[in-house]
Amino acid sequence: MAASRSSNGIGRHSQRSTLLKVVILGDGGVGKSCLMNRFVSNHFDEQSFHTIGVEFLNKDIEINGESYTLQIWDTAGQERFKTLRTPFYRGSDICLLTYAVDDPVSFKNLNLWKSEFLYYAGCGCSSRIIFSLHYYVGNKVDVPESEKRVTTEEAEQWCSVNGGLPLVETSAKDATNVETAFSAAVAAWAKLEARVERPLLEDTVDLSKQQNAYRSNCCLPSFV
């Protein structure tokens, strides 16, 4: 079941802050909980256990002068917890699809996680439209070179083939690029939101109704 360990009660699009729901997905053991805890509290636990079900933490950040509250959902990667985690996919604004650079199976499973997310988020989107912005995160870059099984070049090539979505390599253990992964995703989300809410002036079609549809069914144009 879900467990909240931090909350400040700020609502979506309030005067103070914009609330964004962030879901971290990936195989068990890739470091999803460690990424969340490093980002939120700058803490790393070498002995952390696998997440059971779903839990979340909140984090307030500022990007380009705008305030955001990130509600970050950490989901269990094991198949037996699928029915517990999937109800929390709906309404997500950002998804971080995560693998470990020393675990090639977790890298190969990214498409499965993406498909599961698309399905259970409840959005019937075409291949050119994604309902929320998502990034690929390669965690555990702190491991020795001899233990790396997924190279940066291989991952970047795969991301390019699979929609040109961004890749950030991180280490929750030594904090490499953890802040960057979350901040860059929020900045990209804001750019997407601006495109939807402020269509080009030369467009002659009234997009106001389409705009509302995007927000109601959580679909946003893909960001490259």
Side-chain angles (χ1 to χ4, degrees), residues 1-3 5 22-27 30-37 49-57 71-77 84-85 88-89:
M1 58 185 297
R5 292 182 287 172
V22 180
V23 177
I24 309 176
L25 297 184
D27 285 2
V30 300
K32 300 184 298 296
S33 297
C34 292
L35 282 170
M36 181 177 71
N37 283 291
F49 297 98
H50 288 303
T51 300
I52 298 177
V54 181
E55 62 180 13
F56 73 88
L57 293 175
Q71 188 182 84
I72 305 167
W73 294 81
D74 170 31
T75 58
L84 294 178
R85 67 175 179 254
F88 298 95
Y89 293 176

Side-chain angles (χ1 to χ4, degrees), residues 3-12 17-22 36-42 55-61 68-74 182:
S4 170
R5 292 182 287 172
S6 175
S7 178
N8 57 18
I10 298 176
R12 181 185 294 273
S17 182
T18 297
L19 176 64
L20 298 180
K21 183 177 180 180
V22 180
M36 181 177 71
N37 283 291
R38 172 63 80 180
F39 177 65
V40 173
S41 60
N42 198 27
E55 62 180 13
F56 73 88
L57 293 175
N58 284 359
K59 170 82 169 184
D60 293 325
I61 65 172
Y68 299 90
T69 294
L70 306 188
Q71 188 182 84
I72 305 167
W73 294 81
D74 170 31
F182 286 91

Side-chain angles (χ1 to χ4, degrees), residues 156-177:
E156 287 179 341
Q157 182 179 15
W158 187 90
C159 290
S160 178
V161 171
N162 287 271
L165 297 171
L167 167 71
V168 180
E169 291 189 321
T170 65
S171 168
K173 183 175 183 178
D174 62 21
T176 299
N177 286 338

Side-chain angles (χ1 to χ4, degrees), residues 33 42-43 63 88 91 93 103 114 116 123 133 143 192 194 201:
S33 297
N42 198 27
H43 174 73
I63 303 293
F88 298 95
D93 298 291
D103 183 357
K114 179 181 176 182
E116 177 181 296
C123 294
L133 175 82
V143 301
L192 270 177
L201 293 177

Side-chain angles (χ1 to χ4, degrees), residues 21 85-92 114-126 129-132 213-219:
K21 183 177 180 180
R85 67 175 179 254
T86 52
F88 298 95
Y89 293 176
R90 186 179 296 273
S92 298
K114 179 181 176 182
S115 297
E116 177 181 296
F117 191 45
L118 285 166
Y119 181 82
Y120 287 100
C123 294
C125 301
S126 72
I129 301 291
I130 55 176
F131 52 91
S132 66
Y214 280 136
R215 297 301 296 162
S216 63
N217 70 4
C218 64
C219 291

